[in-house]
Amino acid sequence: MMAYATQMEAARLGIVTPEMEIAAGDEHISAEQLRALIAEGQAVIPKNKRHQIGHPKAIGRMLSTKINVNLGASRDCCNIDVELAKVQEAERLGADAIMDLSTFGDTRAFRRTLAAQCKAALGSVPIYDALVYYNKELAEITSDEWLEIARIHAEDGFDFMTIHCGMNQATAARFMRNRNRITNIVSRGGSLMFAWMQMTGKENPFFEQFDELLEICRKYDVTLSLGDACRPGSTHDASDATQVEEMITLGELTKRAWARDVQVIIEGPGHMPLNQIASNMKLQQTLCHGAPYYVLGPLVTDIAPGYDHITSAIGGTVAAANGAAFLCYVTPAEHLRLPNEQDVHDGIIAAKIAAHAADLAKNIPHASDWDDEMSKARQEVDWEKMFSLSIDPEKARKIHDENPSEIKDACTMCGEMCAMRNMNKILNGEVVTAK
């Protein structure tokens, strides 16, 4: 068999890899169809060569919508056992990817634990980790050290890395000229790189030494997630010139990555009014040449702290139905604190609902099978089957059992007036009574 460095190189050589076979089976398409999409950059399989136990998943707008879960320790909440419990919950609920955003503690040991235990695709943001790893002031980190931290994350087996390559001096200058945003730069990694450039006067090393970054990604087959440092952090700031200019730069970097057979996904908003989401997805497809789009939400309103898993699910559904391939979950704790295990649970369920609703809208093969089975179970008033088919079986059962009906084939909403129950009876030739 011909040697290949990355899934994209294999695809371009006409090789169907074992990872493509597995991922294509999940999508109910042929491995050859998936190979063609990967060759064109329209789909990716994030699978670091050193992440031995992962289950390969394909990400692309014409495939089923995938979801990512963010977690990780911070200075104020640094219990690794708690973070590992969140990881286990995420995998139990079927998260497609897990991103470690840790900013405190022995971050490398935690990454290696994740790589050894997790089957989901693993992602990280090396910029965060640089301050922890080097343990020095932001302005003292050198250009070479920024590249080295990316290399370390690749060596640790992480499948995709979000790196804010588009936050260059030109983008920063545009931001400074047009200071009409309410929320400035809300990307944590983007703000750190902006601050580093402002303090040192140097160019973003990930932009300036992009070819070296690509060699790191190519060596380990790390999918490069081009971070949107200028994503809107409020509905007011959505779709402004700073966001669009960075997107143009990300499109240019995408072509350079593809020239080295490096897989790419593009990060997107953020916060965005509902009426702008569809057009933003189309704009990204044009400017970034159809590379898979990875969105945080978008959150469609800014006034719902405690309920941002809902504002995110609304925006995520519209985004995915219009071309986004990958949804980053948002929890009820967004903007408030580090999420706990229940927050993680609620955020995952909301994101999965959004992803599935979008798959129905996109007519993804067999997406409607699940809904059809649930509808049949409802028509048959088969409670156990309804519970098992629920996206959150434990919650569905709990709510039902809190106030059960005396009538076996009904619930306390309708009782003997249950349409399902009465139609079953009358169509079977039985008498329907009001008692």
Side-chain angles (χ1 to χ4, degrees):
M1 179 180 288
M2 297 168 62
Y4 56 88
T6 68
Q7 293 291 324
M8 180 174 239
E9 184 179 30
R12 288 173 165 176
L13 292 170
I15 299 170
V16 172
T17 66
E19 291 81 9
M20 293 178 202
E21 292 276 6
I22 294 169
D26 291 343
E27 300 297 327
H28 304 286
I29 62 174
S30 72
E32 176 58 29
Q33 286 175 295
L34 181 55
R35 182 204 64 77
L37 292 173
I38 293 171
E40 295 171 359
Q42 308 303 290
V44 301
I45 298 179
K47 186 68 172 67
N48 188 312
K49 296 171 185 177
R50 292 197 171 188
H51 188 191
Q52 298 296 321
I53 69 167
H55 180 91
K57 294 285 187 76
I59 300 170
R61 69 181 181 278
M62 45 302 266
L63 307 174
S64 60
T65 308
K66 306 304 186 298
I67 70 162
N68 171 69
V69 170
N70 289 341
L71 43 80
S74 70
R75 182 178 295 275
D76 293 314
C77 302
C78 55
N79 188 323
I80 295 302
D81 289 338
V82 170
E83 297 310 306
L84 288 174
K86 296 177 189 176
V87 170
Q88 292 169 0
E89 178 70 356
E91 290 207 294
R92 184 183 74 84
L93 293 173
D96 302 294
I98 294 171
M99 287 196 80
D100 172 30
L101 307 185
S102 293
T103 58
F104 189 77
D106 191 343
T107 53
R108 191 164 200 189
F110 185 52
R111 283 197 304 277
R112 288 176 169 176
T113 298
L114 293 181
Q117 296 181 4
C118 292
K119 292 184 178 180
L122 294 174
S124 67
V125 187
I127 287 177
Y128 300 172
D129 192 37
L131 278 75
V132 182
Y133 185 78
Y134 296 120
N135 192 29
K136 56 184 179 181
E137 294 297 328
L138 176 63
E140 296 175 2
I141 298 174
T142 68
S143 296
D144 288 343
E145 285 173 333
W146 285 119
L147 267 294
E148 182 60 22
I149 200 68
R151 190 187 313 278
I152 289 169
H153 281 230
E155 288 176 352
D156 288 344
F158 272 52
D159 303 299
F160 64 103
M161 296 188 298
T162 294
I163 300 184
H164 301 83
C165 306
M167 172 45 75
N168 57 21
Q169 288 288 3
T171 304
R174 173 175 284 281
F175 168 75
M176 292 299 289
R177 288 195 306 270
N178 299 282
R179 296 283 300 278
N180 58 354
R181 283 187 161 196
I182 292 178
T183 50
N184 293 318
I185 295 172
V186 300
S187 160
R188 190 192 310 174
S191 66
L192 289 171
M193 184 51 64
F194 176 83
W196 183 87
M197 291 191 299
Q198 292 294 109
M199 290 187 290
T200 65
K202 296 180 180 179
E203 181 59 277
N204 179 347
F206 295 116
F207 178 79
E208 189 173 46
Q209 301 177 55
F210 190 64
D211 289 338
E212 185 175 343
L213 175 62
L214 293 180
E215 286 308 307
I216 294 171
C217 293
R218 179 179 171 83
K219 179 178 179 180
Y220 297 95
D221 198 2
V222 173
T223 298
L224 181 58
S225 172
L226 290 172
D228 59 337
C230 298
R231 69 172 179 262
S234 62
T235 54
H236 174 275
D237 297 344
S239 305
D240 68 356
T242 303
Q243 179 194 352
V244 175
E245 177 172 297
E246 185 184 29
M247 193 183 295
I248 293 170
T249 302
L250 298 185
E252 294 167 350
L253 295 176
T254 295
K255 283 194 168 183
R256 288 175 60 185
W258 286 348
R260 297 294 296 138
D261 299 317
V262 172
Q263 301 183 98
V264 174
I265 57 179
I266 308 292
E267 274 199 346
H271 294 235
M272 185 166 282
L274 198 64
N275 63 318
Q276 294 184 26
I277 295 174
S279 60
N280 191 272
M281 300 303 109
K282 303 304 179 186
L283 181 64
Q284 182 274 340
Q285 289 171 30
T286 300
L287 296 180
C288 297
H289 321 294
Y293 207 15
Y294 170 36
V295 295
L296 180 70
L299 281 66
V300 295
T301 180
D302 303 326
I303 53 85
Y307 297 91
D308 277 329
H309 58 313
I310 297 174
T311 65
S312 170
I314 294 168
T317 302
V318 177
N322 285 278
F326 197 20
L327 302 181
C328 187
Y329 90 149
V330 172
T331 77
E334 185 77 6
H335 302 115
L336 301 172
R337 59 161 167 74
L338 196 75
N340 60 29
E341 192 172 338
Q342 184 61 50
D343 296 325
V344 169
H345 176 100
D346 293 346
I348 291 172
I349 294 299
K352 288 186 69 175
I353 292 169
H356 183 69
D359 289 349
L360 292 175
K362 293 191 296 183
N363 291 315
I364 294 296
H366 297 283
S368 63
D369 291 356
W370 188 2
D371 298 75
D372 291 345
E373 286 301 307
M374 175 63 86
S375 297
K376 291 174 185 175
R378 284 180 173 149
Q379 181 57 54
E380 295 163 1
V381 200
D382 186 336
W383 293 108
E384 288 303 320
K385 191 171 183 181
M386 281 188 264
F387 298 148
S388 68
L389 288 168
S390 297
I391 199 165
D392 189 347
E394 293 86 356
K395 185 166 186 177
R397 182 185 295 276
K398 178 177 181 292
I399 290 173
H400 173 270
D401 291 352
E402 282 176 345
N403 188 13
S405 173
E406 295 179 357
I407 301 171
K408 178 184 176 182
D409 51 355
C411 73
T412 52
M413 173 67 78
C414 298
E416 69 276 4
M417 295 185 187
C418 173
M420 300 296 191
R421 169 183 180 270
N422 291 340
M423 286 302 299
N424 289 341
K425 285 182 174 293
I426 200 69
L427 293 176
N428 285 331
E430 299 177 33
V431 173
V432 173
T433 67
K435 296 181 180 181

